[in-house]
Amino acid sequence: MFAKSLGLSLMLSELKVMFTRRRTWAMLFAIALIPILLATAVYLSADRLAPGEGPPFLDRVTQNGLFTGFTAMLLAMPLFLPLTISVVAGDTIAGEAGLGTLRYLLIAPVGRARLLVVKYLGTIAFTLAGTFTLMIAGAIIGAIYFPVGPITLLSGDVIQIPEALWRMALVALYTTVSMMGMLALGLFISTLTTIPVGAMTGVLIASGVSQILDNLPQLSWLHEWLFTHYWLDFADILRQPMELSSFGSNLLLQLGYIAFFGALAYGRFTSKDILS
Amino acid sequence: MDSSSNLAIETAGLVKQFGSQRAVAGISLSVPRGSVFGFLGPNGSGKTTTIRMLLGLADVTEGEITLLGNSIPKDLDTALPKVGALVEGPAFYPYMSGRNNLFRMDAADRNSDAKTRASRVDAALDRVGLTNAASKKVHAYSLGMKQRLGLANALLKPRELLVLDEPTNGLDPQGTREVRNLIRSLASEGITIFLSSHLLSEIEQLCTHVAVMSAGSIVAQGSLAELRSHGQSRLIAKVDDVDKSVELLQAQGFAKIKISGDQLTTPADAELDVAGINQLLVKNKIGVSEIRLEHPSLEEYFVDLTGEGFEVVR
C-alpha cells in the first residue's frame, strides 16, 4: 500500500538522483574532513589544553579518540552542517525547476504533494548520511591518533566502547532530528524560486538569524521557539542516565516547524504555475 | 458521450492572464482524435502557455479544457498517463545517463509498471535511435540528442496523444527529417499528435489540421484543405498584346486585372479552365508565352493572419 501510494520506486529514484551526483559526495567528503582536521590539529599541537579550555570535549580528545566525533559535531552544528544541508534543502524544488525537469516530473504525472513528500524525505536521508559520516569519520580518525577506551561521561560515569558507539549513533540521529525543521523551511523556500542558490541562501540566513536571536538574552521568551535552540543539546546523550527531556521538546518543536512550513510548501506548490 | 468523445483536445473560451497581460485570450480548440494537429503561430503568440494549461502545469484563468474526455485540471491524473509530451525543449539531469534519466521519469508516474520499465525504456531509446548513446551522460549529448531523448521520454508508455512543442527546434536538417518521419509513423499508428511550431513548412508537411495563433487568439482553425481554400487563386499570363488581352479577359468577366510589363495577373476561380482561356487568346492572334493558374500558398494566408516581420506584437 505504501509502496503503491507514495511510490517506493520514486523514493529510490530520488535517492539515486541525489547519490549519483558528484556534489553530494563532495559535501559528504567535506563533512568527513571536519573531524579529520580537528584530530590532526590536536595531535600535532605541542601544548595540551587544560581541561575546560577550547570547545567542550576538545581537551578530552587526546585522552580518548572516541570523543573526536562528538567534538567535531559541536563544531559543525552552528555553520558547516547547516551549510551543506541548506544546499540540499534549497535544491529540492528549485533545482528541478531550474533544470526544467520539474515540468516533466509533473506531467509524468508525479503528483505535486507526492513529489513534496519524497523530496523532503530525500533531504532527511542526506542529513542522516551527513551526520553519520561525521561521527564515523570521527571515530576512525580518533582511533588512529589517540588511545581508545571506555568513555568517562559528563556525569562521571564510565561506559564501555559498544555503548559509546551506540551513543554516537544516537547523536547522529538527534542532530538529524534537530535539522528537520530547517529542512521543512528549505523545502518551502525552494517552492518560491527557480534559482536553487537563492533558496540555499535563504535557508542559511534563516539558520544564522535564528542562532543570533537564540544568543540574545533579551529575547529569552522566544528562544524555545527557535528551530536552532536545541541544536547543541545532543550533549545530553553523554550523560548517565541519558537526559532525554530536551530531546522531547526538540522533537515537538521540529514537528511544529514541519507542520507549519510543510503546509506552506504544500499550499504554495500545489497552486503554483510551473513556467520554468 | 457526445461529439466531444471524437476530440482528443477540446477547449472552450480558454484564458490565461499574467498580471495585466492576456497571454491566451479565450481560445476554443477542437483537435480531432487521430489527427496530426498543427498549432501554428509566431514566437510569443501563446502556444506554449496554452500547452502548459492543457497539461496542468499552469492554472486556467477562465474557460474549460477537456483532454481525452477528462476535465482538466480536475482529472489530470487520469488523463496524463495517456499523454506524452515535449514542452519547451527537453530537460534532463546532466549528470545522469540518458537511460537513467528515462528510468527516473518513468518512476515518477505511480501508475507505471516497474517490472516492464527496463524494456520500455530500451524500446523508447531504440525508437529514437539513441541506443548507442544510452549510457552516456546527458551533458555530453548534443542538442539534437537531447531532443530525441525528450521524444523517447514522451514514448515511454503507449500513448493516445502526443503534445510536441517545437520538436525540431535545434535539430540539423537530417535530424529534422528523422523527427518528422518519426511523427508520421506515430501518427500512422493512430496516435493523435498536437504539434506546435512556428514553422509553416513543418505544419504543411506533417499536419492534417491546423490552428493559427496570433497574439493570444486563434485566427483560423480547420483542416489543411479548408485553410488552403481561404486564399484566392490567380491567373497569370504573359502575352505579346496586353491591351487586347485585357479587353478579352474583361469580356470573360475577369476583374481587377493587374499589368506589369507583358504580364497580366487576375483573381480567378480555383477550378478555372486555363486551356480554354489560352485557346481564346490564341484564336484572337495573341501570342501567349506563359499561362498558368496559381493557387494561394498557406504562407501568404499565414502572413495575412499573423502579420509580417519580426516585431514583437506585445
Side-chain angles (χ1 to χ4, degrees), chain A residues 4-5 9-10 13-14 16-17 20-21 96 99-101 103-110 112 114 119 271-276, chain B residues 16 18 52 55-59 80-81 85-96 100 104-105 107-110 117 153:
Chain A
K4 183 77 182 164
S5 61
S9 86
L10 177 62
S13 146
E14 178 64 26
K16 195 171 160 188
V17 170
T20 51
R21 198 165 184 181
E96 300 277 0
L99 278 177
T101 42
R103 61 176 181 270
Y104 287 106
L105 289 173
L106 292 182
I107 62 181
V110 70
R112 295 190 184 203
R114 187 161 157 264
K119 281 287 176 188
S271 62
K272 187 189 185 186
D273 281 355
I274 306 302
L275 302 174
S276 59
Chain B
K16 181 70 192 183
F18 290 118
R52 285 182 188 282
L55 299 174
L57 292 173
D59 255 347
L80 283 182
L86 189 63
V87 190
E88 208 169 12
F92 292 102
Y93 306 91
Y95 47 88
M96 298 202 323
N100 281 339
R104 160 76 164 166
M105 288 301 165
D109 177 6
R110 86 181 76 193
R117 185 164 295 146
N153 177 45

Short mmCIF file of all heavy atoms in Angstrom, two decimals, chain A residues 4-5 9-10 13-14 16-17 20-21 96 99-101 103-110 112 114 119 271-276, chain B residues 16 18 52 55-59 80-81 85-96 100 104-105 107-110 117 153:
data_model
loop_
_atom_site.label_atom_id
_atom_site.label_comp_id
_atom_site.label_asym_id
_atom_site.label_seq_id
_atom_site.Cartn_x
_atom_site.Cartn_y
_atom_site.Cartn_z
N LYS A 4 2.74 1.57 -3.19
CA LYS A 4 1.93 1.99 -4.32
C LYS A 4 1.57 3.48 -4.22
O LYS A 4 1.69 4.23 -5.17
CB LYS A 4 0.64 1.14 -4.35
CG LYS A 4 -0.28 1.44 -5.52
CD LYS A 4 0.24 0.80 -6.81
CE LYS A 4 -0.68 1.16 -7.96
NZ LYS A 4 -0.10 0.92 -9.25
N SER A 5 1.15 3.89 -3.00
CA SER A 5 0.60 5.23 -2.89
C SER A 5 1.69 6.29 -2.88
O SER A 5 1.57 7.31 -3.53
CB SER A 5 -0.27 5.34 -1.64
OG SER A 5 0.52 5.08 -0.50
N SER A 9 9.31 3.30 -5.58
CA SER A 9 10.28 3.39 -6.67
C SER A 9 10.64 4.84 -6.96
O SER A 9 11.75 5.14 -7.36
CB SER A 9 9.79 2.62 -7.90
OG SER A 9 8.97 3.32 -8.72
N LEU A 10 9.71 5.76 -6.66
CA LEU A 10 10.06 7.18 -6.79
C LEU A 10 11.06 7.58 -5.72
O LEU A 10 12.01 8.33 -5.96
CB LEU A 10 8.80 8.05 -6.70
CG LEU A 10 9.04 9.55 -6.75
CD1 LEU A 10 9.68 9.96 -8.07
CD2 LEU A 10 7.75 10.33 -6.55
N SER A 13 14.35 6.30 -6.65
CA SER A 13 14.85 7.09 -7.76
C SER A 13 15.39 8.43 -7.26
O SER A 13 16.43 8.92 -7.73
CB SER A 13 13.72 7.27 -8.77
OG SER A 13 13.78 8.50 -9.40
N GLU A 14 14.69 9.01 -6.27
CA GLU A 14 15.14 10.28 -5.70
C GLU A 14 16.53 10.12 -5.05
O GLU A 14 17.42 10.95 -5.23
CB GLU A 14 14.11 10.75 -4.67
CG GLU A 14 14.46 12.04 -3.95
CD GLU A 14 14.51 13.23 -4.88
OE1 GLU A 14 13.85 13.20 -5.92
OE2 GLU A 14 15.25 14.19 -4.57
N LYS A 16 18.67 7.86 -5.78
CA LYS A 16 19.64 7.58 -6.85
C LYS A 16 20.09 8.89 -7.50
O LYS A 16 21.28 9.10 -7.74
CB LYS A 16 18.99 6.66 -7.89
CG LYS A 16 19.97 6.04 -8.83
CD LYS A 16 19.27 4.99 -9.68
CE LYS A 16 20.05 4.71 -10.94
NZ LYS A 16 19.32 3.84 -11.87
N VAL A 17 19.14 9.77 -7.77
CA VAL A 17 19.49 11.06 -8.36
C VAL A 17 20.43 11.81 -7.44
O VAL A 17 21.43 12.38 -7.86
CB VAL A 17 18.22 11.89 -8.64
CG1 VAL A 17 18.59 13.32 -9.02
CG2 VAL A 17 17.40 11.27 -9.75
N THR A 20 23.93 9.88 -7.19
CA THR A 20 24.81 9.77 -8.36
C THR A 20 25.44 11.12 -8.64
O THR A 20 26.28 11.24 -9.52
CB THR A 20 24.08 9.34 -9.64
OG1 THR A 20 22.95 10.17 -9.85
CG2 THR A 20 23.67 7.89 -9.62
N ARG A 21 25.01 12.11 -7.90
CA ARG A 21 25.52 13.45 -8.14
C ARG A 21 26.84 13.63 -7.41
O ARG A 21 26.95 13.36 -6.21
CB ARG A 21 24.49 14.46 -7.63
CG ARG A 21 24.72 15.80 -8.19
CD ARG A 21 23.53 16.68 -7.98
NE ARG A 21 23.82 17.94 -8.64
CZ ARG A 21 23.00 18.96 -8.64
NH1 ARG A 21 21.85 18.88 -8.03
NH2 ARG A 21 23.34 20.06 -9.25
N GLU A 96 14.98 21.28 -9.46
CA GLU A 96 14.23 20.64 -10.55
C GLU A 96 13.66 21.71 -11.48
O GLU A 96 13.64 21.54 -12.70
CB GLU A 96 13.09 19.79 -10.00
CG GLU A 96 13.51 18.66 -9.07
CD GLU A 96 13.96 17.41 -9.80
OE1 GLU A 96 13.95 17.40 -11.05
OE2 GLU A 96 14.33 16.43 -9.13
N LEU A 99 16.45 23.12 -13.67
CA LEU A 99 16.84 22.21 -14.75
C LEU A 99 15.74 22.07 -15.81
O LEU A 99 16.00 21.70 -16.94
CB LEU A 99 17.13 20.81 -14.20
CG LEU A 99 18.47 20.53 -13.57
CD1 LEU A 99 18.50 19.10 -13.03
CD2 LEU A 99 19.58 20.71 -14.60
N GLY A 100 14.50 22.34 -15.40
CA GLY A 100 13.36 22.13 -16.30
C GLY A 100 12.75 20.74 -16.13
O GLY A 100 11.71 20.44 -16.71
N THR A 101 13.41 19.89 -15.33
CA THR A 101 12.89 18.54 -15.15
C THR A 101 11.59 18.54 -14.35
O THR A 101 10.82 17.58 -14.43
CB THR A 101 13.92 17.67 -14.40
OG1 THR A 101 14.48 18.46 -13.35
CG2 THR A 101 15.02 17.24 -15.33
N ARG A 103 8.86 20.20 -14.87
CA ARG A 103 7.66 20.09 -15.70
C ARG A 103 7.46 18.67 -16.22
O ARG A 103 6.34 18.20 -16.31
CB ARG A 103 7.71 21.10 -16.85
CG ARG A 103 8.86 20.96 -17.82
CD ARG A 103 8.74 21.97 -18.96
NE ARG A 103 9.81 21.85 -19.92
CZ ARG A 103 10.97 22.49 -19.88
NH1 ARG A 103 11.18 23.35 -18.90
NH2 ARG A 103 11.89 22.30 -20.78
N TYR A 104 8.57 17.98 -16.48
CA TYR A 104 8.42 16.60 -16.96
C TYR A 104 8.01 15.65 -15.84
O TYR A 104 7.26 14.71 -16.07
CB TYR A 104 9.71 16.14 -17.64
CG TYR A 104 9.87 16.80 -19.00
CD1 TYR A 104 10.80 17.80 -19.21
CD2 TYR A 104 9.04 16.45 -20.05
CE1 TYR A 104 10.91 18.43 -20.44
CE2 TYR A 104 9.13 17.06 -21.28
CZ TYR A 104 10.07 18.05 -21.47
OH TYR A 104 10.16 18.67 -22.68
N LEU A 105 8.49 15.90 -14.61
CA LEU A 105 8.02 15.09 -13.48
C LEU A 105 6.52 15.29 -13.29
O LEU A 105 5.78 14.34 -13.06
CB LEU A 105 8.77 15.49 -12.21
CG LEU A 105 10.24 15.10 -12.12
CD1 LEU A 105 10.88 15.71 -10.88
CD2 LEU A 105 10.40 13.59 -12.10
N LEU A 106 6.08 16.53 -13.40
CA LEU A 106 4.67 16.82 -13.13
C LEU A 106 3.75 16.25 -14.20
O LEU A 106 2.62 15.85 -13.90
CB LEU A 106 4.44 18.33 -13.00
CG LEU A 106 5.07 18.97 -11.76
CD1 LEU A 106 4.75 20.44 -11.69
CD2 LEU A 106 4.61 18.27 -10.49
N ILE A 107 4.21 16.21 -15.45
CA ILE A 107 3.32 15.64 -16.46
C ILE A 107 3.48 14.13 -16.58
O ILE A 107 2.81 13.50 -17.38
CB ILE A 107 3.50 16.30 -17.85
CG1 ILE A 107 4.90 16.11 -18.39
CG2 ILE A 107 3.13 17.76 -17.79
CD1 ILE A 107 5.11 16.77 -19.74
N ALA A 108 4.36 13.55 -15.75
CA ALA A 108 4.57 12.08 -15.80
C ALA A 108 3.29 11.26 -15.54
O ALA A 108 3.09 10.27 -16.24
CB ALA A 108 5.68 11.65 -14.86
N PRO A 109 2.40 11.57 -14.60
CA PRO A 109 2.37 12.64 -13.62
C PRO A 109 2.82 12.16 -12.25
O PRO A 109 2.44 11.11 -11.79
CB PRO A 109 0.87 12.98 -13.56
CG PRO A 109 0.19 11.67 -13.84
CD PRO A 109 1.15 10.80 -14.62
N VAL A 110 3.65 12.96 -11.59
CA VAL A 110 4.19 12.55 -10.30
C VAL A 110 3.22 12.88 -9.16
O VAL A 110 3.21 12.18 -8.13
CB VAL A 110 5.56 13.21 -10.06
CG1 VAL A 110 5.45 14.70 -9.83
CG2 VAL A 110 6.30 12.56 -8.91
N ARG A 112 1.80 16.51 -7.24
CA ARG A 112 2.61 17.55 -6.59
C ARG A 112 2.86 17.25 -5.11
O ARG A 112 3.99 17.41 -4.62
CB ARG A 112 1.95 18.91 -6.76
CG ARG A 112 1.90 19.33 -8.22
CD ARG A 112 1.48 20.77 -8.39
NE ARG A 112 1.35 21.09 -9.81
CZ ARG A 112 1.42 22.32 -10.31
NH1 ARG A 112 1.61 23.34 -9.52
NH2 ARG A 112 1.30 22.52 -11.60
N ARG A 114 2.87 14.39 -3.62
CA ARG A 114 3.75 13.23 -3.53
C ARG A 114 5.20 13.62 -3.77
O ARG A 114 6.11 13.18 -3.08
CB ARG A 114 3.28 12.23 -4.58
CG ARG A 114 3.93 10.90 -4.56
CD ARG A 114 3.03 9.92 -5.33
NE ARG A 114 3.76 8.80 -5.83
CZ ARG A 114 4.24 8.73 -7.08
NH1 ARG A 114 4.06 9.71 -7.90
NH2 ARG A 114 4.88 7.65 -7.47
N LYS A 119 10.65 14.54 -1.88
CA LYS A 119 11.78 15.47 -1.82
C LYS A 119 12.20 15.71 -0.37
O LYS A 119 13.38 15.77 -0.05
CB LYS A 119 11.38 16.81 -2.46
CG LYS A 119 11.42 16.77 -3.97
CD LYS A 119 12.85 16.76 -4.43
CE LYS A 119 12.97 16.63 -5.93
NZ LYS A 119 14.37 16.43 -6.33
N SER A 271 -0.52 25.08 -5.93
CA SER A 271 -1.30 26.06 -6.69
C SER A 271 -0.41 26.86 -7.64
O SER A 271 -0.86 27.81 -8.28
CB SER A 271 -2.00 27.01 -5.72
OG SER A 271 -1.03 27.71 -4.98
N LYS A 272 0.84 26.47 -7.74
CA LYS A 272 1.79 27.29 -8.47
C LYS A 272 1.78 26.97 -9.97
O LYS A 272 1.66 25.82 -10.36
CB LYS A 272 3.19 26.99 -7.91
CG LYS A 272 4.27 27.88 -8.44
CD LYS A 272 5.65 27.36 -7.99
CE LYS A 272 6.73 28.32 -8.42
NZ LYS A 272 8.07 27.81 -8.14
N ASP A 273 1.89 28.00 -10.79
CA ASP A 273 2.10 27.81 -12.22
C ASP A 273 3.56 27.43 -12.46
O ASP A 273 4.45 28.15 -12.03
CB ASP A 273 1.80 29.10 -13.00
CG ASP A 273 0.31 29.30 -13.18
OD1 ASP A 273 -0.46 28.42 -12.80
OD2 ASP A 273 -0.07 30.36 -13.70
N ILE A 274 3.77 26.33 -13.13
CA ILE A 274 5.15 25.92 -13.42
C ILE A 274 5.52 26.48 -14.79
O ILE A 274 5.09 25.97 -15.83
CB ILE A 274 5.29 24.39 -13.41
CG1 ILE A 274 4.77 23.81 -12.10
CG2 ILE A 274 6.73 23.98 -13.65
CD1 ILE A 274 5.43 24.33 -10.86
N LEU A 275 6.29 27.54 -14.78
CA LEU A 275 6.62 28.22 -16.03
C LEU A 275 8.08 28.06 -16.40
O LEU A 275 8.54 28.67 -17.36
CB LEU A 275 6.26 29.71 -15.93
CG LEU A 275 4.78 29.97 -15.59
CD1 LEU A 275 4.53 31.43 -15.36
CD2 LEU A 275 3.88 29.46 -16.71
N SER A 276 8.80 27.24 -15.64
CA SER A 276 10.21 27.07 -15.98
C SER A 276 10.36 25.88 -16.91
O SER A 276 9.53 25.00 -16.93
CB SER A 276 11.01 26.82 -14.72
OG SER A 276 10.53 25.68 -14.08
N LYS B 16 -5.68 32.74 -20.25
CA LYS B 16 -4.62 32.80 -19.25
C LYS B 16 -4.17 34.24 -19.11
O LYS B 16 -3.75 34.88 -20.08
CB LYS B 16 -3.43 31.93 -19.65
CG LYS B 16 -2.31 31.95 -18.62
CD LYS B 16 -2.72 31.23 -17.36
CE LYS B 16 -1.76 31.49 -16.21
NZ LYS B 16 -2.16 30.72 -15.01
N PHE B 18 -1.66 36.84 -17.16
CA PHE B 18 -0.49 37.08 -16.31
C PHE B 18 -0.50 38.56 -15.96
O PHE B 18 -0.17 39.40 -16.80
CB PHE B 18 0.81 36.77 -17.04
CG PHE B 18 1.02 35.30 -17.29
CD1 PHE B 18 1.12 34.81 -18.58
CD2 PHE B 18 1.14 34.41 -16.23
CE1 PHE B 18 1.34 33.45 -18.82
CE2 PHE B 18 1.36 33.06 -16.47
CZ PHE B 18 1.45 32.59 -17.76
N ARG B 52 0.94 24.50 -21.59
CA ARG B 52 1.10 24.37 -20.14
C ARG B 52 -0.23 24.20 -19.44
O ARG B 52 -0.35 23.46 -18.47
CB ARG B 52 1.82 25.60 -19.58
CG ARG B 52 3.29 25.61 -19.90
CD ARG B 52 3.95 26.81 -19.29
NE ARG B 52 5.32 26.92 -19.74
CZ ARG B 52 6.32 26.18 -19.26
NH1 ARG B 52 6.07 25.32 -18.31
NH2 ARG B 52 7.53 26.32 -19.75
N LEU B 55 -1.68 20.66 -19.99
CA LEU B 55 -1.00 19.61 -19.23
C LEU B 55 -1.05 19.85 -17.73
O LEU B 55 -0.41 19.14 -16.96
CB LEU B 55 0.45 19.50 -19.69
CG LEU B 55 0.64 19.13 -21.16
CD1 LEU B 55 2.11 19.20 -21.55
CD2 LEU B 55 0.07 17.75 -21.45
N GLY B 56 -1.79 20.88 -17.31
CA GLY B 56 -1.95 21.11 -15.88
C GLY B 56 -0.75 21.75 -15.22
O GLY B 56 -0.66 21.78 -14.00
N LEU B 57 0.21 22.25 -15.99
CA LEU B 57 1.37 22.91 -15.39
C LEU B 57 1.01 24.31 -14.93
O LEU B 57 1.56 24.82 -13.96
CB LEU B 57 2.53 22.97 -16.39
CG LEU B 57 3.17 21.65 -16.75
CD1 LEU B 57 4.17 21.80 -17.88
CD2 LEU B 57 3.85 21.05 -15.54
N ALA B 58 0.09 24.93 -15.66
CA ALA B 58 -0.35 26.27 -15.28
C ALA B 58 -1.86 26.25 -15.08
O ALA B 58 -2.57 25.49 -15.73
CB ALA B 58 0.03 27.28 -16.36
N ASP B 59 -2.30 27.09 -14.15
CA ASP B 59 -3.73 27.18 -13.87
C ASP B 59 -4.48 27.86 -15.01
O ASP B 59 -3.93 28.71 -15.70
CB ASP B 59 -3.93 28.02 -12.61
CG ASP B 59 -4.29 27.13 -11.43
OD1 ASP B 59 -4.60 25.95 -11.67
OD2 ASP B 59 -4.25 27.63 -10.30
N LEU B 80 -3.23 12.31 -17.86
CA LEU B 80 -1.80 12.46 -18.17
C LEU B 80 -1.05 11.17 -18.53
O LEU B 80 -0.20 11.20 -19.42
CB LEU B 80 -1.07 13.20 -17.04
CG LEU B 80 -1.30 14.71 -17.03
CD1 LEU B 80 -0.50 15.37 -15.90
CD2 LEU B 80 -0.90 15.36 -18.37
N PRO B 81 -1.33 10.03 -17.88
CA PRO B 81 -0.60 8.83 -18.29
C PRO B 81 -0.81 8.45 -19.76
O PRO B 81 0.01 7.76 -20.34
CB PRO B 81 -1.16 7.73 -17.37
CG PRO B 81 -1.64 8.47 -16.17
CD PRO B 81 -2.17 9.77 -16.69
N ALA B 85 4.54 14.08 -23.77
CA ALA B 85 4.71 15.49 -24.14
C ALA B 85 6.16 15.91 -24.16
O ALA B 85 7.01 15.38 -23.45
CB ALA B 85 3.94 16.37 -23.17
N LEU B 86 6.40 16.89 -25.01
CA LEU B 86 7.68 17.58 -25.08
C LEU B 86 7.31 19.04 -24.97
O LEU B 86 6.66 19.59 -25.85
CB LEU B 86 8.33 17.28 -26.42
CG LEU B 86 9.76 17.71 -26.66
CD1 LEU B 86 10.68 16.98 -25.71
CD2 LEU B 86 10.18 17.39 -28.09
N VAL B 87 7.65 19.66 -23.84
CA VAL B 87 7.23 21.04 -23.61
C VAL B 87 8.43 21.96 -23.54
O VAL B 87 9.31 21.77 -22.70
CB VAL B 87 6.45 21.18 -22.28
CG1 VAL B 87 5.81 22.55 -22.19
CG2 VAL B 87 5.41 20.11 -22.16
N GLU B 88 8.47 22.93 -24.38
CA GLU B 88 9.52 23.94 -24.37
C GLU B 88 10.91 23.33 -24.23
O GLU B 88 11.68 23.70 -23.35
CB GLU B 88 9.28 24.94 -23.23
CG GLU B 88 9.87 26.29 -23.58
CD GLU B 88 9.42 27.38 -22.60
OE1 GLU B 88 8.86 27.06 -21.55
OE2 GLU B 88 9.62 28.52 -22.92
N GLY B 89 11.20 22.40 -25.09
CA GLY B 89 12.53 21.84 -25.11
C GLY B 89 12.71 20.72 -24.10
O GLY B 89 11.99 20.65 -23.11
N PRO B 90 13.66 19.83 -24.35
CA PRO B 90 13.91 18.73 -23.43
C PRO B 90 14.61 19.24 -22.17
O PRO B 90 15.26 20.28 -22.20
CB PRO B 90 14.83 17.82 -24.23
CG PRO B 90 15.52 18.73 -25.20
CD PRO B 90 14.59 19.85 -25.50
N ALA B 91 14.46 18.54 -21.07
CA ALA B 91 15.16 18.89 -19.83
C ALA B 91 15.51 17.60 -19.09
O ALA B 91 14.64 16.76 -18.87
CB ALA B 91 14.27 19.77 -18.95
N PHE B 92 16.79 17.48 -18.76
CA PHE B 92 17.24 16.26 -18.10
C PHE B 92 18.30 16.57 -17.05
O PHE B 92 18.80 17.68 -17.00
CB PHE B 92 17.81 15.28 -19.13
CG PHE B 92 16.76 14.75 -20.06
CD1 PHE B 92 16.64 15.25 -21.35
CD2 PHE B 92 15.88 13.79 -19.64
CE1 PHE B 92 15.65 14.79 -22.19
CE2 PHE B 92 14.89 13.31 -20.47
CZ PHE B 92 14.78 13.82 -21.75
N TYR B 93 18.60 15.55 -16.23
CA TYR B 93 19.68 15.70 -15.25
C TYR B 93 20.99 15.48 -15.99
O TYR B 93 21.25 14.36 -16.44
CB TYR B 93 19.53 14.68 -14.13
CG TYR B 93 18.17 14.74 -13.47
CD1 TYR B 93 17.12 13.95 -13.92
CD2 TYR B 93 17.93 15.61 -12.41
CE1 TYR B 93 15.87 14.01 -13.34
CE2 TYR B 93 16.68 15.68 -11.83
CZ TYR B 93 15.66 14.88 -12.29
OH TYR B 93 14.42 14.96 -11.72
N PRO B 94 21.81 16.52 -16.12
CA PRO B 94 23.00 16.39 -16.95
C PRO B 94 24.01 15.38 -16.42
O PRO B 94 24.78 14.81 -17.19
CB PRO B 94 23.60 17.80 -16.95
CG PRO B 94 22.97 18.51 -15.81
CD PRO B 94 21.65 17.87 -15.56
N TYR B 95 23.99 15.13 -15.11
CA TYR B 95 25.00 14.25 -14.54
C TYR B 95 24.57 12.78 -14.55
O TYR B 95 25.24 11.93 -14.00
CB TYR B 95 25.34 14.69 -13.10
CG TYR B 95 24.12 14.99 -12.26
CD1 TYR B 95 23.49 14.00 -11.53
CD2 TYR B 95 23.60 16.28 -12.22
CE1 TYR B 95 22.36 14.27 -10.78
CE2 TYR B 95 22.48 16.56 -11.48
CZ TYR B 95 21.86 15.56 -10.76
OH TYR B 95 20.74 15.83 -10.01
N MET B 96 23.40 12.50 -15.17
CA MET B 96 22.97 11.10 -15.27
C MET B 96 22.93 10.68 -16.74
O MET B 96 22.80 11.51 -17.63
CB MET B 96 21.58 10.90 -14.65
CG MET B 96 21.56 11.23 -13.17
SD MET B 96 20.21 10.48 -12.22
CE MET B 96 18.84 10.51 -13.29
N ASN B 100 19.30 6.37 -17.50
CA ASN B 100 18.88 6.60 -16.12
C ASN B 100 17.90 7.77 -16.01
O ASN B 100 17.05 7.78 -15.13
CB ASN B 100 20.10 6.84 -15.22
CG ASN B 100 20.79 5.53 -14.87
OD1 ASN B 100 20.17 4.47 -14.96
ND2 ASN B 100 22.06 5.60 -14.52
N ARG B 104 14.24 7.52 -14.30
CA ARG B 104 13.77 8.49 -13.31
C ARG B 104 12.37 9.01 -13.66
O ARG B 104 11.48 9.06 -12.83
CB ARG B 104 14.78 9.63 -13.25
CG ARG B 104 14.28 10.93 -12.68
CD ARG B 104 14.18 10.86 -11.19
NE ARG B 104 14.06 12.17 -10.58
CZ ARG B 104 13.70 12.35 -9.32
NH1 ARG B 104 13.44 11.31 -8.57
NH2 ARG B 104 13.62 13.54 -8.82
N MET B 105 12.22 9.40 -14.93
CA MET B 105 10.94 9.96 -15.34
C MET B 105 9.83 8.91 -15.28
O MET B 105 8.70 9.21 -14.92
CB MET B 105 11.03 10.54 -16.76
CG MET B 105 11.84 11.81 -16.83
SD MET B 105 11.12 13.09 -15.76
CE MET B 105 12.47 14.26 -15.69
N ALA B 107 9.75 6.37 -13.23
CA ALA B 107 9.45 6.08 -11.82
C ALA B 107 8.55 7.16 -11.22
O ALA B 107 7.87 6.93 -10.23
CB ALA B 107 10.75 5.99 -11.03
N ALA B 108 8.57 8.35 -11.84
CA ALA B 108 7.76 9.44 -11.29
C ALA B 108 6.27 9.17 -11.43
O ALA B 108 5.47 9.67 -10.65
CB ALA B 108 8.12 10.75 -11.99
N ASP B 109 5.87 8.38 -12.41
CA ASP B 109 4.46 8.08 -12.61
C ASP B 109 4.08 6.87 -11.76
O ASP B 109 4.59 5.78 -11.96
CB ASP B 109 4.19 7.80 -14.09
CG ASP B 109 2.74 7.40 -14.33
OD1 ASP B 109 1.92 7.46 -13.39
OD2 ASP B 109 2.42 7.03 -15.48
N ARG B 110 3.18 7.09 -10.81
CA ARG B 110 2.87 6.00 -9.89
C ARG B 110 2.17 4.83 -10.59
O ARG B 110 2.11 3.73 -10.08
CB ARG B 110 2.07 6.51 -8.71
CG ARG B 110 0.57 6.56 -8.95
CD ARG B 110 -0.14 7.11 -7.75
NE ARG B 110 0.02 8.56 -7.67
CZ ARG B 110 -0.29 9.27 -6.59
NH1 ARG B 110 -0.70 8.68 -5.52
NH2 ARG B 110 -0.15 10.58 -6.60
N ARG B 117 9.70 -1.65 -16.80
CA ARG B 117 10.37 -0.37 -17.00
C ARG B 117 11.58 -0.48 -17.93
O ARG B 117 11.72 0.26 -18.90
CB ARG B 117 10.77 0.22 -15.66
CG ARG B 117 11.37 1.61 -15.74
CD ARG B 117 11.38 2.29 -14.39
NE ARG B 117 10.02 2.52 -13.92
CZ ARG B 117 9.66 2.47 -12.65
NH1 ARG B 117 10.55 2.20 -11.72
NH2 ARG B 117 8.41 2.69 -12.31
N ASN B 153 11.26 10.07 -23.97
CA ASN B 153 10.52 10.23 -22.70
C ASN B 153 9.01 10.28 -22.96
O ASN B 153 8.22 9.73 -22.19
CB ASN B 153 10.99 11.49 -22.00
CG ASN B 153 10.24 11.77 -20.72
OD1 ASN B 153 10.02 10.87 -19.92
ND2 ASN B 153 9.82 13.00 -20.54
#
